[in-house]
Amino acid sequence: MSDKNIIEIRDLTKIYKNGVDVLAVDGVNLDIKEGEFLAIVGPSGSGKSTLLNMIGLLDTPTSGTIRLKDVDVTKATPDERARFRNKELGFVFQYHHLIPEFSAMENVMIPLLIAGKNKDVARARAQELLDKVNLNDKLNNRPNQLSGGQNQRVAVARALANSPSVVIGDELTGNLDTKTSNLIYELLRELNRKLDQTFILVTHDMHMAEKTDRILRLVDGKIVCELKRQGDGFIESKVCDLGEDNGKIRRV
Amino acid sequence: MFELEVAKRHITSNRRGTAFTVLTVAVAVGVIIMSLGLTEGTKNQIIENTVEKNPHIVLGPKQNEGYIHLYRNIERLLSSYPGAIAVSPRLVVQGAARHKDKVEGIELVGLESDKEERLMQVQGNLLAGNFSELKFKKKYAILGVKLAEKLDARPGNDVYIYFRNNSAKVSVSGLIEKGTAKDSSLVYISLKTAQNLVGEGDVVSEIGVRMEDYTEAPVLARDLEPTTKYNVESWQEFNREISRFIGTQNRINVIFYLLIFLIAGFVVANTTIMIVRRKTKEIGMLMAIGATRSSIMEIFILESLLLGLPAGLLGILVGIGFAQAIASYPIDMSSAASGVTMLMLDLRPEFIIYALIFALLLNISSAVYPAYLASRLDPVEAIGNE
Ligand SMILES: Nc1ncnc2c1ncn2[C@@H]1O[C@H](COP(=O)(O)OP(=O)(O)OP(=O)(O)O)[C@@H](O)[C@H]1O
Ligand SMILES: [Mg+2]
């Protein structure tokens, strides 16, 4: 992990206006360092997905700014945002959303082909990534020929395809059993260490969150607590409202 | 071109949707091919039935002149055209005929029977007599069969014919049945006899021309008029009704094709919308990994476009098959007075091109709206996360 901020979020606010206004994200300020392994936790409806989708340029903030690698991406056009998503961001969702007609290999190749890489380069890169997620023997399997955990690993490989600055994962193990979830988190941890890959992961599960280096707790769209890894445990920020998670966290 | 890759995969994986779209477009194309072929066939048959019963071109006197004076020169000029296979000068006047106490108005046609035979194959319509005799027998006349009936005249009878103050006695040498209204007014005599009766010297009132290919007639007519100063008309002009009928038919067909286009377009668009619905999450994910809106649009348009060619080709086969099946059925249309007794199929090569263009246009235009919808999906909503 370097000292360089890869993401700087200032006063980020999202208000949904569907008849009634819903303040989903409320003036969030957050810096994320290159190579960080970060978890966002919080109760349902606290704004975790909304925050993540704005960081992932899938959603636009109502106000505030997000700087990605020193570029204010909140002002980007739809096509520029598409290019950022392709080159600088990787996504893993609760469901893998792989294209069912494509093999594991072909699914991983798509972001590379969108980026304009030729097929041979894309194929080589896809093979390398599937090897990294331990699926080198399943290259030609289609999603329906793979288990949930394997598909999610293909999705991770796809997220890494263009060596993005940040990989974001929203409940990416939400659909998997504990054992498989642990394996996926260990894989992400390993990728984080080996590739210095930045990860921002939203999860309900404190056990998963504890595998990261920093945990942010979001309540009603606000960051109410920040926990930083120190050795095997975590230290809390000065002000900290851990709500129902209080006591579940190993302290230093 | 990952768009093409994805589009191809959609097609091969979604067999039912693909089959549905291809069949819809194929049926539309088939109906159009069939209609084009049958319309063209019927049109050609009507034209042949009527046009071939008339000279393809008729050249008349110059403006303000009653007759063509130097008709031999013009006859020579017309004969020199490569496409002209028969040229026949005629002197046509309105007169009367009397047999015993019966008098009838007639259309008197003076002609040179050998030339006229080449122009109109008159002999085939004769019930009695020999058309070529008119050339040598100055007092012979051939009467329309109905006229002869009204005059109560039979071959061998003498009949008096009148033009203004002149008259001549001719002998009925034959009867003609054309199957038209002319049968009750027509009298054929030799050109010389007619000229003597009319008393204007060596003149004719029109020159009929037959072309190797009747479709060339309108062009030649347009050519001739300014150079010769004579009034030149082709079958297109004096058979206005046919032209009008064909024109109306074409307009009706165009409306018909537009309706087919619309109906098939809606069906294809609907199928494509269903595909887009089913692929919503995939579209969201493609957007998340960087596909632009135009790429998403391209995928669905390509998908439809790729089906256009096979659908068009299949449609052509279907259309030809149906058209041939229909054309092989004899139908009774004799009452239509067009002489058409069977639906004829005439598939011109350009129809195939039209059909393919139709299929491609149909597929592109019916994919545009669904593809646009797909490209405007909100990635967050499309992916969902339930
Ligand atoms: N498209 C939307 N329109 C209106 N309100 C929305 C929309 N999306 C989210 N919200 C609201 O915004 C708030 C934050 O939602 P969000 O999905 O970010 O929560 P979350 O922390 O991800 O919850 P969960 O843990 O259940 O996934 C909620 O109150 C939610 O109802
Ligand atoms: Mg959520």
Side-chain angles (χ1 to χ4, degrees):
Chain A
M1 189 167 82
S2 79
D3 273 345
K4 222 177 120 219
N5 283 340
I6 200 153
I7 290 174
E8 292 175 358
I9 295 169
R10 294 291 172 268
D11 302 321
L12 196 69
T13 298
K14 177 74 181 184
I15 302 171
Y16 287 110
K17 294 190 173 92
N18 298 336
V20 284
D21 288 5
V22 177
L23 184 56
V25 171
D26 185 3
V28 165
N29 286 288
L30 174 64
D31 289 342
I32 298 166
K33 296 212 163 9
E34 205 169 56
E36 229 189 308
F37 198 42
L38 175 81
I40 300 175
V41 298
S44 186
S46 57
K48 305 183 295 292
S49 296
T50 307
L51 176 60
L52 211 58
N53 288 337
M54 288 192 287
I55 296 173
L57 303 187
L58 292 172
D59 207 347
T60 46
T62 309
S63 64
T65 56
I66 302 172
R67 296 178 75 83
L68 175 66
K69 281 181 145 179
D70 280 332
V71 180
D72 183 355
V73 289
T74 36
K75 294 196 174 61
T77 65
D79 277 2
E80 283 166 355
R81 292 153 66 83
R83 207 173 51 80
F84 272 119
R85 288 198 295 262
N86 179 237
K87 295 248 163 76
E88 303 293 346
L89 296 157
F91 296 85
V92 189
F93 295 96
Q94 185 172 353
Y95 295 93
H96 54 77
H97 298 309
L98 297 171
I99 298 184
E101 296 90 12
F102 281 29
S103 68
M105 174 90 117
E106 289 165 330
N107 266 292
V108 178
M109 284 167 69
I110 294 178
L112 294 154
L113 296 176
I114 291 176
K117 299 272 189 320
N118 77 41
K119 267 192 185 168
D120 290 335
V121 172
R123 199 172 288 119
R125 171 78 177 146
Q127 192 158 3
E128 175 194 332
L129 286 164
L130 284 166
D131 192 42
K132 281 208 176 86
V133 299
N134 305 318
L135 280 175
N136 46 2
D137 54 340
K138 303 278 192 241
L139 300 180
N140 297 316
N141 289 40
R142 296 204 179 173
N144 63 2
Q145 299 165 325
L146 293 169
S147 71
Q150 288 170 334
N151 275 327
Q152 210 54 324
R153 278 191 272 160
V154 177
V156 169
R158 178 177 61 185
L160 295 170
N162 286 320
S163 309
S165 306
V166 186
V167 171
I168 65 180
D170 193 349
E171 312 273 11
L172 77 148
T173 57
N175 238 5
L176 304 174
D177 58 61
T178 319
K179 198 172 146 239
T180 317
S181 301
N182 278 325
L183 284 171
I184 296 273
Y185 263 82
E186 270 150 35
L187 172 71
L188 298 183
R189 173 94 261 183
E190 194 185 312
L191 291 167
N192 165 252
R193 293 237 168 84
K194 274 197 201 151
L195 308 173
D196 202 29
Q197 177 66 54
T198 315
F199 283 98
I200 309 173
L201 306 172
V202 160
T203 178
H204 269 105
D205 188 342
M206 277 315 282
H207 290 295
M208 296 302 157
E210 279 184 6
K211 293 182 193 295
T212 65
D213 293 332
R214 182 155 68 126
I215 305 172
L216 296 171
R217 184 174 155 79
L218 213 61
V219 173
D220 291 339
K222 285 195 184 79
I223 297 176
V224 294
C225 186
E226 186 179 344
L227 297 149
K228 278 196 174 138
R229 172 174 292 283
Q230 197 149 86
D232 267 351
F234 284 87
I235 48 166
E236 306 170 3
S237 54
K238 282 185 202 89
V239 199
C240 186
D241 167 13
L242 274 172
E244 79 263 25
D245 292 326
N246 204 356
K248 287 193 205 158
I249 294 178
R250 279 167 296 157
R251 319 286 165 117
V252 178
Chain B
M1 272 304 266
F2 82 98
E3 294 93 347
L4 182 64
E5 230 36 65
V6 175
K8 279 199 284 198
R9 218 50 86 83
H10 281 175
I11 289 172
T12 50
S13 70
N14 178 16
R15 298 251 167 79
R16 203 179 322 160
T18 300
F20 200 68
T21 301
V22 168
L23 280 182
T24 306
V25 177
V27 167
V29 168
V31 170
I32 285 170
I33 277 281
M34 186 176 84
S35 155
L36 279 173
L38 292 176
T39 307
E40 183 71 11
T42 310
K43 181 183 96 181
N44 288 345
Q45 215 188 352
I46 293 173
I47 290 175
E48 259 159 54
N49 281 340
T50 30
V51 169
E52 296 301 305
K53 281 180 184 156
N54 289 298
H56 300 158
I57 293 175
V58 173
L59 187 138
K62 291 178 186 171
Q63 233 181 342
N64 305 326
E65 289 182 15
Y67 299 97
I68 304 172
H69 292 279
L70 299 167
Y71 68 93
R72 295 284 169 207
N73 294 340
I74 299 153
E75 193 189 330
R76 226 171 290 125
L77 170 74
L78 291 172
S79 304
S80 71
Y81 274 91
I85 51 172
V87 179
S88 174
R90 302 148 148 189
L91 180 55
V92 183
V93 292
Q94 305 301 316
R98 180 174 68 82
H99 177 236
K100 295 180 186 156
D101 57 345
K102 299 213 164 60
V103 180
E104 292 291 333
I106 59 166
E107 180 176 314
L108 185 68
V109 182
L111 43 74
E112 297 176 70
S113 64
D114 51 343
K115 292 177 185 165
E116 185 68 16
E117 176 63 21
R118 242 175 285 137
L119 184 74
M120 298 301 301
Q121 285 95 43
V122 184
Q123 183 63 46
N125 290 327
L126 289 199
L127 295 181
N130 190 339
F131 189 58
S132 60
E133 280 177 354
L134 285 190
K135 190 170 171 69
F136 312 107
K137 304 281 171 75
K138 292 218 155 30
K139 295 293 167 192
Y140 273 9
I142 290 171
L143 271 59
V145 63
K146 295 230 175 73
L147 175 68
E149 241 167 66
K150 287 195 282 182
L151 289 172
D152 206 10
R154 263 167 271 276
N157 292 158
D158 283 344
V159 170
Y160 289 89
I161 52 177
Y162 301 91
F163 177 74
R164 297 205 179 130
N165 297 325
N166 308 337
S167 69
K169 189 172 90 173
V170 293
S171 158
V172 178
S173 74
L175 298 176
I176 183 164
E177 182 171 37
K178 289 187 134 193
T180 67
K182 296 258 159 125
D183 288 346
S184 53
S185 64
L186 202 60
V187 175
Y188 282 154
I189 54 173
S190 80
L191 182 58
K192 270 273 152 309
T193 312
Q195 284 171 339
N196 288 339
L197 187 68
V198 170
E200 294 280 344
D202 190 12
V203 296
V204 297
S205 60
E206 61 181 46
I207 301 175
V209 182
R210 184 186 194 79
M211 307 291 295
E212 177 105 54
D213 172 6
Y214 66 78
T215 58
E216 282 176 15
V219 187
L220 179 55
R222 265 197 300 282
D223 252 28
L224 277 172
E225 196 153 53
T227 50
T228 61
K229 300 283 194 300
Y230 286 95
N231 174 37
V232 188
E233 286 196 331
S234 73
W235 60 269
Q236 259 196 341
E237 289 153 83
F238 50 77
N239 275 314
R240 289 242 173 262
E241 264 160 76
I242 300 177
S243 301
R244 209 175 314 127
F245 170 74
I246 291 166
T248 318
Q249 192 62 34
N250 286 344
R251 267 196 299 279
I252 290 171
N253 278 351
V254 167
I255 294 170
F256 180 59
Y257 300 155
L258 276 178
L259 286 177
I260 293 176
F261 192 97
L262 280 180
I263 295 167
F266 275 119
V267 174
V268 173
N270 202 41
T271 314
T272 315
I273 286 175
M274 265 157 51
I275 294 172
V276 170
R277 286 251 173 78
R278 199 145 33 79
K279 300 259 173 211
T280 297
K281 285 179 189 297
E282 180 186 317
I283 295 164
M285 194 63 219
L286 281 172
M287 287 173 156
I289 61 180
T292 57
R293 286 173 172 180
S294 47
S295 288
I296 299 292
M297 210 161 153
E298 209 176 300
I299 288 173
F300 288 95
I301 290 180
L302 275 174
E303 205 172 317
S304 191
L305 191 58
L306 286 176
L307 296 181
L309 196 66
L313 291 175
L314 181 65
I316 289 164
L317 292 181
V318 168
I320 293 175
F322 271 120
Q324 253 155 9
I326 288 176
S328 68
Y329 254 98
I331 49 152
D332 186 18
M333 273 176 62
S334 43
S335 58
S338 53
V340 179
T341 53
M342 227 173 159
L343 281 176
M344 293 294 287
L345 187 58
D346 193 346
L347 283 170
R348 300 216 259 139
E350 59 260 39
F351 292 169
I352 307 290
I353 312 278
Y354 296 160
L356 287 179
I357 292 173
F358 178 90
L360 291 180
L361 277 182
L362 175 62
N363 277 37
I364 293 179
S365 54
S366 54
V368 166
Y369 179 65
Y372 176 80
L373 286 186
S375 76
R376 293 286 136 166
L377 282 175
D378 177 71
V380 176
E381 277 171 28
I383 294 166
N385 225 1
E386 71 282 356

